[in-house]
Amino acid sequence: MDDQPRLMHSSHGVGMAGHPGLAQHMQDGTGGADGEGRKQDIGDILQQIMTITDQSLDEAQARKHALNCHRMKPALFNVLCEIKEKTVLSIRGAQEEEPPDAQLMRLDNMLLAEGVSGPEKGGGSAAAAAAAAAAGGGGSDNSAEHSDYRAKLSQIRQIYHTELEKYEQACNEFTTHVMNLLREQSRTRPISPKEIERMVGIIHRKFSSIQMQLKQSTCEAVMILRSRFLDARRKRRNFNKQATEILNEYFYSHLSNPYPSEEAKEELAKKCSITVSQVSNWFGNKRIRYKKNIGKFQEEANMYAAKTAATATSVSTHGSQANSPSTPNSAGSAGSFNMNSGDLFMSVQSLNGDSYQGAQVGANVQSQVDTLRHVISQTGGYSESLAASQIYSPQGINANGGWQDAPTPSSVTSPTEGPGSVHSDTSN
DNA sequence: AAGCATGATTAAGG
DNA sequence: CCTTAATCATGCTT
């Protein structure tokens, strides 16, 4: 429409030069009395049709008008109608229904599942959650990566929607345009509503194939984003120091049974701002690595044991005020434990042997026991290596490597080499 | 760059 | 589904 002037301008001269006087000839309507004349007339018309593309628009318009006014027109129209009647059946038979495209359905489903084509705002976060669930295990991850992912997804979503809208609009425009054309043409040639319908169908199909491309590329983009997101998850980042501290604290204060319950995991996860599955991972790794090389973790164990022991004792002595993570005087308390480590060890043993199976109170006691034992082992390590090794070996880990069904600590194993060979690496 | 530390993943077992 | 044990892949330190 916009380029009408351009078209007119460019082809004006050609049209006029190419067919001088044709219109005038038409309008004159030469004598229809004899067959010769009629034949020639039709020949002219055909010629005109064949060369119609060479004409400029206004010229064509004029011609069209002339044609409409031509006295032969109704007859010609009728003939065309007859021909049409005969052919329309075959046309209709050729193009009927189309099976719902499986590919398109897949794409639609995926886009819906990704939240790209779903409802407005909730879609993005839902997709992120879905991705998280697919990636990890469950639970909502609360991190920057997520928001990043979500932002990118919504960006994709936005592009998708604007493009889709554009296509839809273009499709509608084109359809109405074609329909107008057809309607106009229906004055000159027979066009049934069915035909228009069919045309519209064709247009829609064409556009929907374009839309499918859009959907496909959107899907691809989402997949890429997602895989990158998953890679980013796989690409580990160390937990921050505080989180590690909390986890270690729990681990070493539950050393005889370092299997946090679901609730405990949740709480740890919350405290460390990581997911529950990350907590599980951490404990899994920690257990296995600790068990594999207890000696290596000795120092760490002592540290955390002393720390929690200090807080624990401060709790038990001072009653309520407890949770200052910065333990006041870990060294001092360790020193004081050093004095009567033997007694404590005895009591620890008896406690450990009797009371920790199952009950919550037992577990509580047990954690204290663990803590104390660590402190003892630490002090023992400093004073006498043999005691330390004896104390250390029965950490609930039996010879088989089991943690739960550890035998009573009194059955101290330890041919010199056990995990208890502390003296060598405490200096490290 | 090498080597260790560490979070995540996977296979196997219960 | 949870655990262990092995392994991967990366981060950090040396």
Side-chain angles (χ1 to χ4, degrees), chain A residues 233-317:
Chain A
R233 277 181 63 88
R234 185 186 180 88
K235 199 165 161 183
R236 67 180 187 77
R237 285 230 215 96
N238 290 350
F239 299 153
N240 63 34
K241 215 164 183 185
Q242 202 184 351
T244 312
E245 202 129 302
I246 292 167
L247 292 168
N248 272 317
E249 238 161 66
Y250 188 98
F251 179 80
Y252 286 113
S253 64
H254 297 72
L255 200 49
S256 66
N257 189 29
Y259 297 84
S261 65
E262 193 55 34
E263 295 138 33
K265 278 183 194 169
E266 274 166 26
E267 183 159 341
L268 285 168
K270 203 194 283 180
K271 271 198 224 168
C272 304
S273 49
I274 57 179
T275 65
V276 172
S277 50
Q278 279 177 306
V279 172
S280 298
N281 282 341
W282 190 92
F283 271 90
N285 283 324
K286 191 72 185 180
R287 280 189 298 261
I288 194 70
R289 280 162 188 165
Y290 178 85
K291 199 166 85 177
K292 240 181 187 167
N293 190 355
I294 294 177
K296 199 173 71 183
F297 290 92
Q298 184 86 63
E299 206 183 354
E300 190 177 80
N302 293 339
M303 216 183 74
Y304 283 104
K307 198 182 259 183
T308 47
T311 57
T313 47
S314 84
V315 166
S316 60
T317 46

Coordinates of all heavy atoms in Angstrom, one line a residue, chain A residues 233-317:
Chain A
R233 N 25.2 -25.0 38.2 CA 25.0 -25.7 39.5 C 26.1 -26.7 39.7 O 26.6 -26.9 40.7 CB 23.7 -26.3 39.5 CG 22.6 -25.4 39.9 CD 21.3 -26.1 39.9 NE 21.3 -27.1 41.0 CZ 21.0 -26.9 42.2 NH1 20.6 -25.8 42.6 NH2 21.0 -27.9 43.1
R234 N 26.4 -27.4 38.5 CA 27.4 -28.4 38.7 C 28.8 -27.8 39.0 O 29.6 -28.3 39.7 CB 27.5 -29.2 37.3 CG 28.4 -30.3 37.4 CD 28.6 -31.0 36.1 NE 29.5 -32.1 36.1 CZ 29.1 -33.3 36.4 NH1 27.8 -33.5 36.6 NH2 29.9 -34.3 36.5
K235 N 28.9 -26.6 38.4 CA 30.2 -25.9 38.6 C 30.1 -25.4 40.1 O 29.5 -24.4 40.4 CB 30.2 -24.7 37.7 CG 31.5 -24.1 37.5 CD 31.4 -23.2 36.3 CE 32.5 -22.2 36.2 NZ 32.2 -21.3 35.0
R236 N 30.7 -26.2 40.9 CA 30.4 -25.9 42.3 C 31.1 -24.6 42.8 O 32.1 -24.1 42.3 CB 31.0 -27.1 43.2 CG 32.5 -27.1 43.1 CD 33.0 -28.3 43.9 NE 34.4 -28.2 44.0 CZ 35.1 -27.4 44.8 NH1 34.4 -26.6 45.6 NH2 36.4 -27.4 44.8
R237 N 30.5 -24.1 43.8 CA 31.1 -23.0 44.6 C 31.2 -23.5 46.0 O 30.3 -24.0 46.5 CB 30.2 -21.8 44.5 CG 30.3 -21.1 43.1 CD 30.5 -19.7 43.3 NE 29.8 -18.9 42.3 CZ 28.6 -18.4 42.5 NH1 28.0 -18.5 43.6 NH2 28.1 -17.7 41.5
N238 N 32.3 -23.1 46.6 CA 32.5 -23.5 48.0 C 31.5 -22.8 48.8 O 31.1 -21.6 48.6 CB 33.9 -23.2 48.5 CG 34.9 -24.1 47.8 OD1 34.5 -25.1 47.2 ND2 36.2 -23.8 48.0
F239 N 31.0 -23.5 49.9 CA 30.1 -22.8 50.8 C 30.9 -21.7 51.5 O 32.2 -21.8 51.7 CB 29.6 -23.8 51.8 CG 28.8 -24.9 51.2 CD1 28.7 -26.1 51.8 CD2 28.1 -24.7 50.0 CE1 27.9 -27.1 51.2 CE2 27.4 -25.7 49.4 CZ 27.3 -26.9 50.0
N240 N 30.2 -20.8 52.0 CA 31.0 -19.8 52.8 C 31.4 -20.3 54.1 O 31.0 -21.4 54.6 CB 30.2 -18.5 52.9 CG 28.9 -18.7 53.7 OD1 28.9 -19.5 54.6 ND2 27.9 -18.1 53.4
K241 N 32.3 -19.6 54.7 CA 33.0 -20.0 55.9 C 32.0 -20.3 57.0 O 32.1 -21.3 57.7 CB 34.0 -19.0 56.3 CG 35.2 -19.6 56.9 CD 36.4 -18.6 57.0 CE 37.6 -19.2 57.5 NZ 38.7 -18.3 57.7
Q242 N 31.1 -19.5 57.1 CA 30.1 -19.6 58.2 C 29.3 -20.9 58.1 O 29.1 -21.7 59.0 CB 29.2 -18.4 58.2 CG 28.5 -18.2 59.6 CD 27.5 -17.1 59.5 OE1 27.4 -16.4 58.4 NE2 26.7 -16.9 60.5
A243 N 28.9 -21.2 56.8 CA 28.1 -22.4 56.6 C 29.0 -23.6 56.9 O 28.5 -24.5 57.6 CB 27.7 -22.4 55.1
T244 N 30.2 -23.6 56.5 CA 31.1 -24.7 56.7 C 31.2 -24.9 58.2 O 31.3 -26.0 58.8 CB 32.4 -24.5 56.1 OG1 32.3 -24.1 54.8 CG2 33.3 -25.8 56.1
E245 N 31.4 -23.8 58.9 CA 31.5 -23.8 60.4 C 30.3 -24.5 61.0 O 30.5 -25.4 61.9 CB 31.7 -22.4 60.9 CG 32.4 -22.3 62.2 CD 33.5 -21.3 62.1 OE1 34.4 -21.5 61.3 OE2 33.5 -20.4 62.9
I246 N 29.2 -24.1 60.6 CA 27.9 -24.6 61.2 C 27.9 -26.1 61.0 O 27.6 -26.9 61.9 CB 26.7 -23.9 60.6 CG1 26.7 -22.4 61.1 CG2 25.4 -24.6 61.0 CD1 25.7 -21.6 60.4
L247 N 28.1 -26.5 59.7 CA 28.0 -27.9 59.4 C 29.1 -28.7 60.2 O 28.8 -29.8 60.7 CB 28.3 -28.1 57.9 CG 27.2 -27.5 57.0 CD1 27.7 -27.4 55.5 CD2 25.9 -28.3 57.1
N248 N 30.3 -28.2 60.2 CA 31.3 -28.9 61.0 C 30.9 -29.0 62.4 O 31.2 -30.1 63.1 CB 32.6 -28.2 60.8 CG 33.4 -28.7 59.6 OD1 33.4 -29.9 59.3 ND2 34.0 -27.8 58.8
E249 N 30.4 -27.9 62.9 CA 30.0 -28.0 64.3 C 29.0 -29.1 64.6 O 29.2 -29.9 65.5 CB 29.4 -26.6 64.7 CG 30.1 -25.9 65.9 CD 29.7 -24.5 65.9 OE1 28.6 -24.2 66.2 OE2 30.6 -23.6 65.6
Y250 N 28.1 -29.1 63.8 CA 27.1 -30.2 63.9 C 27.7 -31.6 63.8 O 27.5 -32.5 64.6 CB 25.9 -30.0 62.9 CG 24.8 -31.0 63.1 CD1 23.7 -30.5 63.8 CD2 24.9 -32.3 62.7 CE1 22.6 -31.4 64.1 CE2 23.8 -33.2 63.0 CZ 22.7 -32.7 63.6 OH 21.7 -33.6 63.9
F251 N 28.5 -31.7 62.8 CA 29.1 -33.0 62.5 C 29.9 -33.4 63.7 O 29.8 -34.6 64.1 CB 30.0 -32.9 61.2 CG 30.7 -34.1 60.9 CD1 30.0 -35.1 60.2 CD2 32.0 -34.3 61.2 CE1 30.7 -36.3 59.9 CE2 32.7 -35.5 60.9 CZ 32.0 -36.5 60.2
Y252 N 30.8 -32.6 64.2 CA 31.7 -33.0 65.2 C 31.0 -33.2 66.6 O 31.5 -33.8 67.5 CB 32.9 -32.1 65.3 CG 33.8 -32.4 64.2 CD1 34.0 -31.4 63.2 CD2 34.5 -33.6 64.0 CE1 34.9 -31.6 62.1 CE2 35.3 -33.8 62.9 CZ 35.5 -32.8 62.0 OH 36.3 -33.0 60.9
S253 N 29.9 -32.5 66.7 CA 29.2 -32.7 68.0 C 28.2 -33.8 67.9 O 27.6 -34.1 68.9 CB 28.5 -31.4 68.3 OG 27.5 -31.1 67.4
H254 N 28.1 -34.4 66.7 CA 27.3 -35.6 66.6 C 28.1 -36.7 66.0 O 27.6 -37.5 65.2 CB 26.0 -35.4 65.8 CG 25.1 -34.3 66.3 ND1 25.4 -33.0 66.3 CD2 23.9 -34.4 66.9 CE1 24.4 -32.3 66.9 NE2 23.5 -33.2 67.2
L255 N 29.3 -36.7 66.4 CA 30.3 -37.6 65.7 C 29.9 -39.1 65.8 O 30.2 -39.9 64.9 CB 31.7 -37.4 66.2 CG 32.8 -37.8 65.3 CD1 32.5 -37.3 63.8 CD2 34.1 -37.3 65.7
S256 N 29.3 -39.4 66.9 CA 29.0 -40.8 67.1 C 27.8 -41.2 66.2 O 27.6 -42.4 65.9 CB 28.7 -41.1 68.5 OG 27.5 -40.5 68.9
N257 N 27.1 -40.3 65.8 CA 25.9 -40.6 64.9 C 25.7 -39.4 64.0 O 24.7 -38.7 64.1 CB 24.7 -40.9 65.7 CG 23.6 -41.4 64.8 OD1 23.8 -42.0 63.8 ND2 22.4 -41.2 65.2
P258 N 26.6 -39.2 63.1 CA 26.5 -37.9 62.3 C 25.5 -38.0 61.2 O 25.8 -37.8 60.0 CB 27.9 -37.7 61.7 CG 28.4 -39.1 61.6 CD 27.8 -39.9 62.7
Y259 N 24.3 -38.4 61.5 CA 23.2 -38.5 60.5 C 22.1 -37.6 60.9 O 21.1 -38.0 61.6 CB 22.7 -39.9 60.4 CG 23.8 -40.9 59.9 CD1 24.7 -41.4 60.8 CD2 23.8 -41.2 58.6 CE1 25.7 -42.3 60.4 CE2 24.8 -42.1 58.2 CZ 25.7 -42.6 59.1 OH 26.7 -43.5 58.6
P260 N 22.1 -36.4 60.5 CA 21.1 -35.4 60.9 C 19.7 -35.9 60.4 O 19.6 -36.4 59.2 CB 21.5 -34.1 60.2 CG 22.4 -34.5 59.2 CD 23.1 -35.7 59.6
S261 N 18.7 -35.7 61.2 CA 17.4 -36.0 60.7 C 16.9 -35.0 59.7 O 17.6 -34.0 59.4 CB 16.4 -35.9 61.9 OG 16.4 -34.6 62.4
E262 N 15.8 -35.3 59.1 CA 15.3 -34.4 58.1 C 15.1 -33.0 58.6 O 15.5 -32.0 58.0 CB 13.9 -35.0 57.6 CG 13.4 -34.3 56.3 CD 14.5 -34.4 55.2 OE1 15.2 -35.4 55.1 OE2 14.6 -33.4 54.4
E263 N 14.6 -33.0 59.8 CA 14.4 -31.6 60.4 C 15.7 -30.9 60.7 O 15.9 -29.7 60.4 CB 13.6 -31.8 61.8 CG 12.2 -32.3 61.6 CD 11.9 -33.3 62.7 OE1 12.4 -33.1 63.8 OE2 11.1 -34.2 62.4
A264 N 16.6 -31.7 61.2 CA 18.0 -31.1 61.5 C 18.6 -30.6 60.2 O 19.2 -29.5 60.1 CB 18.9 -32.2 62.1
K265 N 18.4 -31.4 59.1 CA 18.9 -31.0 57.8 C 18.3 -29.7 57.4 O 19.0 -28.8 56.9 CB 18.7 -32.1 56.8 CG 19.7 -33.2 56.8 CD 19.3 -34.2 55.7 CE 20.1 -35.5 55.9 NZ 19.6 -36.5 54.9
E266 N 17.0 -29.7 57.6 CA 16.3 -28.4 57.2 C 16.8 -27.2 57.9 O 17.1 -26.2 57.4 CB 14.8 -28.6 57.4 CG 14.1 -29.3 56.2 CD 12.7 -29.7 56.5 OE1 12.1 -29.1 57.4 OE2 12.3 -30.7 55.9
E267 N 17.0 -27.5 59.2 CA 17.5 -26.3 60.0 C 18.9 -25.9 59.6 O 19.2 -24.7 59.4 CB 17.5 -26.7 61.5 CG 17.9 -25.6 62.4 CD 17.4 -25.8 63.8 OE1 16.5 -26.6 64.0 OE2 17.9 -25.1 64.7
L268 N 19.7 -26.9 59.4 CA 21.1 -26.6 59.0 C 21.1 -25.9 57.6 O 21.8 -24.9 57.4 CB 21.9 -27.9 58.8 CG 22.3 -28.5 60.1 CD1 22.9 -29.9 59.9 CD2 23.4 -27.7 60.8
A269 N 20.2 -26.4 56.8 CA 20.1 -25.8 55.4 C 19.7 -24.3 55.6 O 20.3 -23.4 54.9 CB 19.1 -26.5 54.6
K270 N 18.8 -24.1 56.5 CA 18.3 -22.7 56.7 C 19.4 -21.8 57.2 O 19.7 -20.7 56.8 CB 17.1 -22.7 57.6 CG 16.2 -21.4 57.4 CD 15.3 -21.3 58.5 CE 14.1 -22.2 58.4 NZ 13.1 -22.0 59.6
K271 N 20.1 -22.4 58.2 CA 21.2 -21.6 58.9 C 22.3 -21.3 57.9 O 22.9 -20.2 57.9 CB 21.7 -22.4 60.0 CG 21.0 -22.2 61.3 CD 21.9 -22.7 62.5 CE 21.1 -23.4 63.5 NZ 22.0 -24.1 64.5
C272 N 22.6 -22.3 57.0 CA 23.7 -22.1 56.1 C 23.3 -21.5 54.8 O 24.1 -21.3 53.9 CB 24.4 -23.4 55.8 SG 24.9 -24.3 57.3
S273 N 22.0 -21.3 54.7 CA 21.4 -20.8 53.4 C 21.9 -21.7 52.2 O 22.4 -21.2 51.2 CB 21.7 -19.3 53.2 OG 23.0 -19.0 53.3
I274 N 21.7 -22.9 52.4 CA 21.9 -23.9 51.3 C 20.7 -24.8 51.2 O 19.9 -24.7 52.1 CB 23.2 -24.7 51.4 CG1 23.2 -25.4 52.8 CG2 24.4 -23.8 51.3 CD1 24.5 -26.3 53.0
T275 N 20.7 -25.7 50.3 CA 19.5 -26.6 50.2 C 19.7 -27.8 51.1 O 20.8 -28.1 51.5 CB 19.3 -27.0 48.8 OG1 20.4 -27.9 48.4 CG2 19.2 -25.9 47.8
V276 N 18.6 -28.4 51.3 CA 18.7 -29.6 52.1 C 19.5 -30.7 51.5 O 20.3 -31.4 52.1 CB 17.3 -30.2 52.4 CG1 17.3 -31.6 53.1 CG2 16.5 -29.2 53.2
S277 N 19.4 -30.8 50.2 CA 20.2 -31.8 49.5 C 21.7 -31.5 49.5 O 22.5 -32.3 49.6 CB 19.7 -32.0 48.0 OG 19.7 -30.7 47.4
Q278 N 22.0 -30.2 49.6 CA 23.4 -29.8 49.8 C 23.9 -30.2 51.1 O 25.0 -30.7 51.3 CB 23.5 -28.3 49.6 CG 23.6 -27.9 48.1 CD 23.7 -26.4 47.9 OE1 22.9 -25.7 48.4 NE2 24.7 -26.0 47.1
V279 N 23.0 -30.1 52.1 CA 23.4 -30.5 53.4 C 23.6 -32.0 53.4 O 24.6 -32.5 54.0 CB 22.3 -30.2 54.5 CG1 22.6 -30.8 55.8 CG2 22.1 -28.7 54.6
S280 N 22.7 -32.7 52.8 CA 22.9 -34.2 52.7 C 24.2 -34.5 52.0 O 25.0 -35.4 52.4 CB 21.8 -34.8 51.9 OG 20.6 -34.6 52.6
N281 N 24.5 -33.8 50.9 CA 25.7 -34.0 50.2 C 26.9 -33.8 51.1 O 27.8 -34.6 51.1 CB 25.8 -33.1 49.0 CG 25.0 -33.5 47.8 OD1 24.6 -34.7 47.7 ND2 24.7 -32.6 46.9
W282 N 26.8 -32.7 51.8 CA 27.9 -32.3 52.6 C 28.2 -33.4 53.7 O 29.3 -33.9 53.9 CB 27.6 -31.0 53.3 CG 28.8 -30.5 54.0 CD1 29.8 -29.6 53.5 CD2 29.3 -30.7 55.4 NE1 30.7 -29.3 54.4 CE2 30.4 -30.0 55.6 CE3 28.8 -31.5 56.4 CZ2 31.1 -30.1 56.8 CZ3 29.4 -31.6 57.6 CH2 30.6 -30.8 57.8
F283 N 27.1 -33.9 54.3 CA 27.3 -34.9 55.3 C 27.8 -36.2 54.7 O 28.6 -36.9 55.3 CB 26.0 -35.1 56.1 CG 25.9 -34.2 57.3 CD1 25.4 -32.9 57.2 CD2 26.5 -34.5 58.5 CE1 25.3 -32.0 58.2 CE2 26.4 -33.6 59.6 CZ 25.9 -32.4 59.4
G284 N 27.2 -36.5 53.6 CA 27.7 -37.7 52.9 C 29.2 -37.7 52.6 O 30.0 -38.6 53.0
N285 N 29.6 -36.6 52.1 CA 31.0 -36.4 51.8 C 31.8 -36.4 53.1 O 32.9 -37.0 53.2 CB 31.3 -35.1 51.0 CG 30.9 -35.2 49.6 OD1 31.1 -36.2 49.0 ND2 30.3 -34.1 49.0
K286 N 31.3 -35.7 54.0 CA 32.1 -35.5 55.3 C 32.3 -36.9 56.0 O 33.4 -37.2 56.4 CB 31.3 -34.6 56.2 CG 32.1 -34.1 57.4 CD 33.2 -33.2 57.0 CE 34.1 -32.8 58.1 NZ 35.2 -31.9 57.7
R287 N 31.2 -37.6 56.0 CA 31.3 -38.9 56.7 C 32.4 -39.8 56.1 O 33.2 -40.3 56.7 CB 29.9 -39.6 56.7 CG 29.0 -39.1 57.7 CD 27.8 -40.0 57.8 NE 27.0 -40.0 56.5 CZ 25.9 -39.3 56.3 NH1 25.5 -38.5 57.2 NH2 25.3 -39.3 55.1
I288 N 32.2 -39.9 54.7 CA 33.1 -40.8 54.1 C 34.5 -40.3 54.1 O 35.5 -41.1 54.3 CB 32.6 -41.0 52.6 CG1 33.4 -42.2 52.0 CG2 32.9 -39.7 51.8 CD1 32.9 -43.5 52.6
R289 N 34.7 -39.0 54.1 CA 36.1 -38.5 54.0 C 36.7 -38.6 55.4 O 37.9 -38.8 55.6 CB 36.1 -37.1 53.5 CG 36.1 -37.2 52.0 CD 35.7 -35.9 51.3 NE 35.5 -36.2 49.8 CZ 34.9 -35.4 49.0 NH1 34.4 -34.3 49.4 NH2 34.8 -35.8 47.7
Y290 N 35.8 -38.3 56.4 CA 36.3 -38.4 57.8 C 36.7 -39.8 58.1 O 37.8 -40.1 58.6 CB 35.2 -38.0 58.7 CG 35.6 -38.1 60.2 CD1 36.3 -37.0 60.8 CD2 35.3 -39.2 60.9 CE1 36.7 -37.1 62.1 CE2 35.7 -39.3 62.2 CZ 36.4 -38.2 62.8 OH 36.7 -38.3 64.1
K291 N 35.9 -40.7 57.7 CA 36.1 -42.1 58.0 C 37.4 -42.6 57.3 O 38.2 -43.4 57.8 CB 34.9 -43.0 57.6 CG 34.9 -44.3 58.3 CD 33.6 -44.9 58.1 CE 33.5 -45.7 56.8 NZ 32.2 -46.4 56.6
K292 N 37.5 -42.2 56.1 CA 38.7 -42.6 55.3 C 40.0 -42.2 55.9 O 41.0 -42.9 55.8 CB 38.6 -42.0 53.9 CG 38.4 -43.0 52.8 CD 38.4 -42.3 51.5 CE 38.1 -43.3 50.4 NZ 37.7 -42.5 49.2
N293 N 40.0 -41.0 56.5 CA 41.3 -40.5 57.0 C 41.0 -39.7 58.2 O 41.1 -38.5 58.2 CB 42.0 -39.7 55.9 CG 43.4 -39.4 56.3 OD1 43.8 -39.7 57.4 ND2 44.1 -38.8 55.3
I294 N 40.8 -40.4 59.3 CA 40.5 -39.7 60.5 C 41.6 -38.8 60.9 O 41.4 -37.7 61.4 CB 40.1 -40.7 61.6 CG1 38.8 -41.4 61.3 CG2 39.9 -40.0 62.9 CD1 38.4 -42.4 62.2
G295 N 42.8 -39.3 60.8 CA 43.9 -38.5 61.2 C 44.0 -37.2 60.6 O 44.3 -36.2 61.3
K296 N 43.6 -37.1 59.4 CA 43.6 -35.8 58.7 C 42.7 -34.8 59.3 O 42.9 -33.6 59.3 CB 43.3 -36.0 57.2 CG 43.8 -34.9 56.3 CD 43.5 -35.3 54.9 CE 42.1 -35.3 54.5 NZ 41.9 -35.7 53.1
F297 N 41.6 -35.3 59.8 CA 40.6 -34.4 60.4 C 40.8 -34.2 61.9 O 39.9 -33.5 62.5 CB 39.2 -35.0 60.1 CG 38.8 -34.9 58.7 CD1 39.1 -36.0 57.9 CD2 38.2 -33.8 58.1 CE1 38.7 -36.0 56.5 CE2 37.9 -33.8 56.8 CZ 38.1 -34.9 56.0
Q298 N 41.8 -34.7 62.4 CA 42.0 -34.7 63.8 C 41.9 -33.2 64.4 O 41.2 -32.9 65.2 CB 43.4 -35.2 64.2 CG 43.7 -35.3 65.6 CD 43.1 -36.6 66.2 OE1 43.6 -37.7 65.8 NE2 42.2 -36.5 67.0
E299 N 42.7 -32.4 63.7 CA 42.9 -31.1 64.2 C 41.5 -30.4 64.2 O 41.1 -29.8 65.1 CB 43.9 -30.3 63.4 CG 44.5 -29.2 64.1 CD 45.5 -28.4 63.2 OE1 45.7 -28.9 62.0 OE2 46.0 -27.4 63.6
E300 N 40.9 -30.5 63.0 CA 39.6 -29.9 62.8 C 38.6 -30.4 63.9 O 37.9 -29.6 64.5 CB 39.1 -30.3 61.4 CG 37.9 -29.6 61.0 CD 37.5 -30.0 59.6 OE1 36.9 -31.0 59.4 OE2 37.8 -29.2 58.6
A301 N 38.7 -31.7 64.1 CA 37.8 -32.3 65.1 C 38.0 -31.7 66.5 O 37.1 -31.3 67.1 CB 38.0 -33.8 65.1
N302 N 39.2 -31.6 66.8 CA 39.6 -31.1 68.1 C 39.1 -29.6 68.2 O 38.5 -29.2 69.3 CB 41.1 -31.1 68.3 CG 41.6 -32.5 68.5 OD1 40.8 -33.4 68.8 ND2 42.8 -32.7 68.2
M303 N 39.3 -28.9 67.2 CA 38.9 -27.5 67.2 C 37.4 -27.4 67.5 O 37.0 -26.7 68.4 CB 39.3 -26.9 65.9 CG 39.7 -25.5 65.9 SD 40.0 -24.9 64.2 CE 38.3 -24.7 63.7
Y304 N 36.7 -28.0 66.7 CA 35.2 -27.9 66.8 C 34.7 -28.5 68.1 O 33.8 -28.0 68.7 CB 34.5 -28.5 65.6 CG 34.6 -27.7 64.4 CD1 35.4 -28.0 63.4 CD2 33.8 -26.5 64.3 CE1 35.5 -27.2 62.2 CE2 33.9 -25.7 63.2 CZ 34.7 -26.1 62.2 OH 34.8 -25.3 61.1
A305 N 35.4 -29.6 68.5 CA 35.0 -30.2 69.8 C 35.2 -29.2 70.9 O 34.4 -29.0 71.8 CB 35.8 -31.4 70.0
A306 N 36.4 -28.6 70.9 CA 36.7 -27.7 71.9 C 35.7 -26.5 71.9 O 35.2 -26.1 73.0 CB 38.1 -27.1 71.7
K307 N 35.4 -26.1 70.8 CA 34.5 -24.9 70.6 C 33.1 -25.3 71.2 O 32.6 -24.6 72.0 CB 34.4 -24.6 69.1 CG 33.9 -23.2 68.9 CD 33.7 -23.0 67.4 CE 34.8 -22.2 66.8 NZ 34.7 -22.0 65.4
T308 N 32.6 -26.4 70.7 CA 31.2 -26.7 71.2 C 31.3 -27.1 72.6 O 30.3 -26.9 73.3 CB 30.7 -27.9 70.3 OG1 31.6 -28.9 70.2 CG2 30.3 -27.4 69.0
A309 N 32.4 -27.7 73.0 CA 32.4 -28.0 74.5 C 32.4 -26.8 75.3 O 31.7 -26.7 76.3 CB 33.7 -28.8 74.7
A310 N 33.1 -25.8 74.9 CA 33.1 -24.6 75.6 C 31.7 -24.0 75.7 O 31.3 -23.6 76.8 CB 34.1 -23.6 74.9
T311 N 31.1 -24.0 74.6 CA 29.7 -23.4 74.6 C 28.8 -24.3 75.5 O 28.0 -23.8 76.2 CB 29.1 -23.3 73.2 OG1 29.2 -24.5 72.6 CG2 29.9 -22.3 72.4
A312 N 29.0 -25.6 75.3 CA 28.2 -26.5 76.1 C 28.4 -26.4 77.6 O 27.4 -26.3 78.3 CB 28.5 -28.0 75.7
T313 N 29.6 -26.3 78.0 CA 29.9 -26.1 79.4 C 29.3 -24.8 79.9 O 28.8 -24.7 81.0 CB 31.4 -26.2 79.7 OG1 32.1 -25.4 78.7 CG2 31.9 -27.7 79.6
S314 N 29.5 -23.8 79.0 CA 29.0 -22.5 79.5 C 27.5 -22.6 79.6 O 26.9 -21.9 80.5 CB 29.4 -21.4 78.5 OG 28.6 -21.4 77.4
V315 N 26.9 -23.3 78.8 CA 25.5 -23.5 78.9 C 25.1 -24.2 80.2 O 24.3 -23.8 80.9 CB 24.9 -24.3 77.7 CG1 23.5 -24.8 78.0 CG2 25.0 -23.5 76.4
S316 N 25.8 -25.3 80.4 CA 25.4 -26.1 81.6 C 25.7 -25.3 82.9 O 25.0 -25.5 83.8 CB 26.2 -27.4 81.5 OG 27.6 -27.2 81.6
T317 N 26.8 -24.6 82.9 CA 27.1 -23.9 84.1 C 26.3 -22.6 84.3 O 25.8 -22.3 85.3 CB 28.6 -23.5 84.1 OG1 29.0 -23.0 82.9 CG2 29.4 -24.7 84.4

